[in-house]
Amino acid sequence: MLLGAYVLGALSAEEDRSVAEHLWHCEECGAEYLEMTETQSLLSLFSEADLLDGLDEEACPERRKTGLDDADLSD
């Protein structure tokens, strides 16, 4: 199912309608959809620096790409 893309608003209009119709009839997918939207809402509260805080460069190559150092993350 295209649920992740649906939550992110990344589907075509036709795909969006199809997923919405499925969610209307499927209790299991509806519950998963609610969980995914809650997670997306919570993640949107954090900046990239917040999410990278505490990760060292070896564990997180993305940290190297951003050029963030510990001083940048303290804000």
Side-chain angles (χ1 to χ4, degrees):
M1 176 127 172
L2 305 168
L3 197 52
Y6 179 78
V7 169
L8 295 174
L11 297 178
S12 69
E14 182 180 330
E15 291 170 323
D16 191 80
R17 280 190 299 275
S18 177
V19 173
E21 183 178 330
H22 177 82
L23 290 174
W24 183 258
H25 300 287
C26 181
E27 189 175 314
E28 183 178 343
C29 289
E32 187 172 339
Y33 166 76
L34 290 176
E35 187 175 321
M36 290 177 89
T37 58
E38 290 171 1
T39 300
Q40 181 193 23
S41 294
L42 290 172
L43 286 174
S44 70
L45 298 174
F46 294 94
S47 69
E48 182 177 0
D50 291 330
L51 297 173
L52 294 173
D53 190 20
L55 295 176
D56 62 24
E57 290 181 4
E58 186 175 322
C60 182
E62 285 301 309
R63 186 170 174 134
R64 281 190 295 254
K65 291 179 190 174
T66 64
L68 295 173
D69 60 25
D70 290 337
D72 295 329
L73 297 173
S74 64
D75 295 333

